[in-house]
Amino acid sequence: MTEKAVIVGAGMVGLAAAYRLARDGLDVTVVDTALSGSGASTRNAGWIVPVMSTPVPAPGMLGKALRWMARRDSPLHIRPSLRPDHVRFMASMLRHCNSRDYQHGIAALVALNERTVSLFDGYQQDGVRFEYHRTGHLLVFRTREAMHAHRADFAPMERIGHTAAALSGDEVRDLEPALGTCVRAGLRCAQERHVDPATLVTGLEQRCRDLGVRFLHGRHVTAIRSQGSLTTSVLAGDEEIGGDLFVLAAGVHSGALSGLAGFPLPIQPGKGYGFDDTSGSVQLRHSVYLGEAKVAITPLSGRLRFAGTMEFGNSDSTVAPHRLRGIIRSASEYLPDFPPAPQQHPWAGLRPMTPDGLPVIGPLPGKDNVFVASGHGMLGVTLAPMTAEILSAQIKGEKHDSDIANTARPFSPQRFARRGTGNQRFAPRGTGKRPAGL
Ligand SMILES: Cc1cc2nc3c(=O)[nH]c(=O)nc-3n(C[C@H](O)[C@H](O)[C@H](O)COP(=O)(O)OP(=O)(O)OC[C@H]3O[C@@H](n4cnc5c(N)ncnc54)[C@H](O)[C@@H]3O)c2cc1C
């Protein structure tokens, strides 16, 4: 009999999983609170950037955030809060801001990104319709020192064919004449891609429907029913949706949702902001990262998208004008023709963050048939297709696929059951017995 999979969350990660499991021949239902895409997946910078396989907790990162606390428009902000989950999360992240964990995180993310570009190409070849650009990525800097520091971080990505070629300021301007003379160095990453994320979400959902996936939009999952270690259904209002296996891909809500299944994961929001400029005052071909300002710029059909800011401790979706002003001010410094005027239709998005900066992919401790796919932070679009490959292998129980098992290991939810990871009070319940998964 065909196995029935229920996926909670129709963001990029849930959709990539639905697509992959439907291709595997499973009977897939996707449940989402929103009537149409509302999570971080529809509005973000849209970069497909394996070259940026670096975890957010990095040596010196929290020190930088503390120095920036007084600046209202800083690109990184930790909101002071005594909420226990926030304090526990930040303390755990602080413990991961060291060189050993950072290098471990890079190695894990590089392996996870090895097939990313070919998986996106595969979407296109399979008829997923989305706006897809292959023009490459540019990182630009005011100093050569900043460029070299980034280049050193990117060295491990060369193994998977994602190189970063050093450029002078003039060479950068030969590629993108709109950049001003404050830019003194750059890195060109020719293998990187970018997408219009809203078209990708719509295109993937449409392709999933073609493959027979059922979508239940406007249903908010409030309970997970289990018998011992086996989950039998999720409840959305009065509706009970039964299945043989369940995937929790609810973005920033995945922590609360996994709690309903007995194992609350430490997933907290990292808030970002953005807007689209349709004035045509600046033209770019590459996606561009303004290195010191930490602003992302993406050329999309008929507009330039600007995005940035990482704010911890803030989970609402309101747009803070001062954060937006920080992005606009930085953009006009690097792009002399960009008007430093208020922009229309700004937005905010919540990235699902983990304290170690790595996604959470795999079986939920204490449950035999519940899988998690979340916590992708700044790289959820980039990493979604490979996340789905891992889930597919784990669900099929391909024990012999040692490559994928090794790639998946650092992302296991099980790591939050160990002492000292910031989640030790959340010990798993149930037997932990697994079907023939990895
Ligand atoms: C400013 C900004 C720029 C970014 N730029 C990039 C980029 O360039 N490249 C990149 O790779 N990543 C980028 N990201 C990160 C990326 O957007 C996220 O990592 C990714 O979208 C997360 O996808 P998701 O599917 O896990 O979550 P989401 O997109 O948030 O989807 C989760 C879904 O779950 C649903 N849901 C939640 N709770 C429930 C419930 N109880 N019941 C039913 N449904 C529920 C929600 O309605 C939502 O639709 C950026 C993020 C931001 C904020």
Side-chain angles (χ1 to χ4, degrees):
M1 210 174 67
T2 310
E3 264 194 308
K4 189 170 175 199
V6 176
I7 298 174
V8 184
M12 186 57 206
V13 174
L15 286 170
Y19 170 79
R20 188 64 177 90
L21 297 186
R23 297 288 310 255
D24 288 345
L26 272 67
D27 171 1
V28 182
T29 300
V30 180
V31 190
D32 198 295
T33 309
L35 292 175
S36 62
S38 72
S41 298
T42 46
R43 286 193 293 202
N44 55 67
W47 295 357
I48 312 297
V49 280
V51 79
M52 291 189 145
S53 295
T54 50
V56 169
M61 171 237 171
L62 283 188
K64 207 179 278 175
L66 291 175
R67 281 198 299 282
W68 276 339
M69 286 289 259
R71 256 184 60 189
R72 280 169 61 76
D73 61 353
S74 66
L76 174 63
H77 181 72
I78 301 170
R79 196 182 251 205
S81 162
L82 290 176
R83 274 186 46 188
D85 55 345
H86 174 68
V87 172
R88 212 165 33 240
F89 182 91
M90 293 316 304
S92 179
M93 185 173 261
L94 178 61
R95 281 198 294 277
H96 288 287
C97 289
N98 64 72
S99 176
R100 192 184 53 112
D101 288 351
Y102 186 61
Q103 295 305 329
H104 163 80
I106 289 179
L109 289 170
V110 168
L112 191 60
N113 263 319
E114 193 159 353
R115 290 170 53 204
T116 291
V117 165
S118 64
L119 289 168
F120 274 96
D121 289 349
Y123 281 176
Q124 212 184 29
Q125 284 149 17
D126 188 46
V128 179
R129 296 174 63 144
F130 61 108
E131 187 182 322
Y132 191 32
H133 299 264
R134 293 182 167 83
T135 38
H137 182 58
L138 261 186
L139 297 96
V140 303
F141 304 94
R142 290 167 178 275
T143 66
R144 290 187 66 76
E145 291 71 30
M147 180 271 282
H148 283 303
H150 269 78
R151 199 175 182 205
D153 268 357
F154 289 178
M157 292 47 149
E158 287 185 12
R159 184 180 71 72
I160 58 166
H162 288 265
T163 51
L167 303 174
S168 68
D170 287 341
E171 286 168 332
V172 170
R173 274 177 294 280
D174 285 345
L175 292 173
E176 293 292 4
L179 287 161
T181 49
C182 73
V183 172
R184 302 225 166 77
L187 289 171
R188 176 155 195 249
C189 308
Q191 304 305 318
E192 314 314 294
R193 313 280 168 92
H194 65 268
V195 299
D196 175 343
T199 66
L200 182 56
V201 165
T202 313
L204 258 181
E205 177 163 338
Q206 186 52 54
R207 185 71 187 99
C208 285
R209 286 181 190 275
D210 296 344
L211 292 167
V213 175
R214 192 163 70 114
F215 282 86
L216 299 176
H217 280 292
R219 287 7 178 250
H220 184 66
V221 172
T222 49
I224 296 180
R225 284 208 172 138
S226 303
Q227 287 172 354
S229 62
L230 209 63
T231 290
T232 51
S233 63
V234 296
L235 287 185
D238 293 339
E239 208 168 341
E240 182 163 3
I241 304 150
D244 302 307
L245 62 97
F246 298 82
V247 177
L248 310 183
V252 290
H253 303 285
S254 304
L257 209 58
S258 65
L260 296 177
F263 192 90
L265 287 159
I267 294 174
Q268 291 283 317
K271 188 170 177 178
Y273 296 86
F275 57 85
D276 288 354
D277 177 64
T278 52
S279 70
S281 56
V282 170
Q283 305 287 333
L284 294 173
R285 280 185 66 245
H286 302 75
S287 59
V288 174
Y289 180 65
L290 308 180
E292 292 82 2
K294 303 190 184 305
V295 168
I297 314 178
T298 314
L300 298 173
S301 173
R303 65 218 144 102
L304 267 192
R305 172 159 298 179
F306 292 78
T309 310
M310 174 66 79
E311 198 178 357
F312 289 102
N314 186 353
S315 57
D316 65 42
S317 55
T318 54
V319 176
H322 54 280
R323 301 257 162 252
L324 221 56
R325 275 198 297 276
I327 298 176
I328 295 169
R329 201 204 56 229
S330 302
S332 57
E333 284 170 9
Y334 286 73
L335 298 162
D337 292 336
F338 184 70
Q343 295 288 327
Q344 290 180 340
H345 309 302
W347 45 266
L350 301 177
R351 307 172 181 93
M353 308 300 295
T354 57
D356 59 5
L358 301 181
V360 194
I361 309 166
L364 191 72
K367 287 281 171 272
D368 291 345
N369 58 343
V370 179
F371 295 79
V372 183
S374 189
H376 294 77
M378 318 226 334
L379 288 175
V381 181
T382 305
L383 293 171
M386 189 57 200
T387 296
E389 292 297 301
I390 289 176
L391 289 175
S392 161
Q394 290 177 331
I395 287 166
K396 281 191 284 193
E398 288 175 352
K399 272 191 170 150
H400 57 277
D401 192 340
S402 59
D403 275 358
I404 216 158
N406 286 337
T407 302
R409 196 161 293 118
F411 308 106
S412 166
Q414 185 68 39
R415 70 190 192 271
F416 295 112
R418 289 187 224 118
R419 286 190 65 78
T421 52
N423 203 34
Q424 56 269 40
R425 84 190 178 92
F426 303 126
R429 295 206 300 256
T431 62
K433 192 167 78 58
R434 299 252 137 252
L438 293 165

